[in-house]
Amino acid sequence: MDLDRTRPLWRQIAAEIIRRIESGTYPPGSRVPSTLEIAQEFGVVNATAAKAMRRVREEGWTRGEVGLGTFVSDPLPSTTGLEDDESAD
């Protein structure tokens, strides 16, 4: 995925992670990549990846397990506010 450097990178990454969850790339109950892995994949600093993953979690798409990692929620939420919330950074 090529990131559009004119839009907040964390939003684009969060939207991509959610797209992967919705498409089944990361099915419910599965572990998602770590923040460090996300940062490396998208070529961003760790703080940007962490902000993206925090938003994904806040939207209800993932849940954290202390010492184990981050997992896709089961059941999945019905909608995301990422597309409607372009002004909030």
Side-chain angles (χ1 to χ4, degrees):
M1 173 186 159
D2 291 325
L3 297 175
D4 174 359
R5 300 287 174 171
T6 65
R7 294 182 22 223
L9 300 177
W10 69 269
R11 277 188 187 285
Q12 295 174 69
I13 294 167
E16 176 62 15
I17 298 302
I18 291 169
R19 187 196 64 74
R20 291 176 185 183
I21 292 170
E22 290 178 319
S23 73
T25 301
Y26 304 145
S30 69
R31 188 176 179 283
V32 296
S34 70
T35 300
L36 179 59
E37 292 168 322
I38 299 272
Q40 290 172 341
E41 176 183 350
F42 291 97
V44 297
V45 297
N46 209 29
T48 300
K51 187 171 184 178
M53 293 308 291
R54 186 170 44 254
R55 180 59 181 262
V56 171
R57 185 177 59 250
E58 288 169 354
E59 294 266 333
W61 293 95
T62 60
R63 60 179 169 69
E65 301 254 346
V66 177
L68 297 176
T70 301
F71 296 84
V72 177
S73 295
D74 190 7
L76 296 174
S78 58
T79 61
T80 178
L82 284 175
E83 301 305 320
D84 300 331
D85 191 21
E86 281 298 315
S87 62
D89 289 320

